[in-house]
Amino acid sequence: MSTVPAFKRLPRAVREQQMLDAAVKVFSRRGFHAASMDEIAEDAGISKPMVYAYLGTKEELFVACLHREGTRMMQAIAGAAAPDLPADERLWRGLRAFFGFVGAHRDGWAVLYRQARGEQPFAGELATMRARLVDVVAGMLDHALRAEGREIAALDLEVVAYALVGATESLADWLADHPDADPEKTATRMMNVAWLGAAQLLHGVTWRPPVD
């Protein structure tokens, strides 16, 4: 009697998603270097050769995980923040979608912003995704400014966007470590910090250092 396990035939796209689901869990738990293709294959319920055949080497599999989780995150944000909304509601909905993604995909967040951050060439992939997120936030702020007939220097707009993204990422890390925390309440907390400051900037209110 054959001891080779039998695998149910599934469409390629479905099988690939199963492999990526398993890989994200293993990479988030073990880290890139300690994760093994054997464990990923076992979690996916398939053979290791099939993982290589579908998604390539471990490095290629990790990049595929980054792309999928990053795309999911960006789609969630873009889908929530409609351009015809008021500026504060647009930012709020974007934050709620972002923290909702982190709350629902904690393993995906760990792969995106913890495992990839210090590993080359994955850090470059993360930097590209982060730049896209900064562009989205900068676009929201620019839209709000233009709606009020105001503009600020492109560099100032970029700096504010980077600051908002950085603060949001830090709070997302906190959320990922606190499974009982409510993503929507976390988004509200971030909105209070971000919007009260951003709203003043949009109206031209700035802080100046004291003159010595």
Side-chain angles (χ1 to χ4, degrees), residues 17 27 53 59 63 69 73 93 96 99 105 124 126 145 148-149 166 169 187 192 195 197 203:
Q17 291 307 310
F27 284 133
E59 290 81 2
V63 170
E69 298 307 303
M73 181 180 72
R93 290 194 181 197
R96 185 172 62 180
F99 286 111
H105 303 280
L126 175 59
L145 284 166
E148 296 192 3
E169 289 173 349
N192 281 316
W195 183 249
H203 287 90

Side-chain angles (χ1 to χ4, degrees), residues 53-203:
Y54 274 60
L55 294 167
T57 64
K58 187 165 80 166
E59 290 81 2
E60 291 169 328
L61 177 57
F62 192 86
V63 170
C65 291
L66 291 181
H67 286 169
R68 190 189 72 168
E69 298 307 303
T71 298
R72 281 179 169 179
M73 181 180 72
M74 294 303 298
Q75 287 177 342
I77 296 169
D84 58 337
L85 294 171
D88 59 340
E89 187 175 352
R90 193 177 180 205
L91 181 59
W92 152 244
R93 290 194 181 197
L95 286 171
R96 185 172 62 180
F98 173 77
F99 286 111
F101 168 84
V102 175
H105 303 280
R106 284 179 165 84
D107 289 340
W109 174 258
V111 170
L112 276 174
Y113 280 88
R114 293 181 180 178
Q115 304 301 340
R117 189 160 41 195
E119 299 285 347
Q120 290 295 346
F122 310 130
E125 297 278 348
L126 175 59
T128 299
M129 285 183 245
R130 195 165 190 264
R132 287 172 57 202
L133 189 57
V134 169
D135 286 343
V136 169
V137 173
M140 288 181 184
L141 296 176
D142 186 52
H143 179 80
L145 284 166
R146 292 180 185 278
E148 296 192 3
R150 297 190 60 253
E151 292 185 39
I152 63 174
L155 179 60
D156 290 337
L157 191 65
E158 182 181 11
V159 167
V160 172
Y162 265 102
L164 289 176
V165 169
T168 302
E169 289 173 349
S170 293
L171 193 53
D173 258 347
W174 175 87
L175 176 64
D177 286 335
H178 293 79
D180 295 334
D182 183 349
E184 186 159 335
K185 288 183 179 178
T186 305
T188 302
R189 293 185 179 103
M190 186 65 226
M191 185 67 187
N192 281 316
V193 172
W195 183 249
L196 292 179
Q200 292 193 70
L201 285 172
L202 294 176
H203 287 90

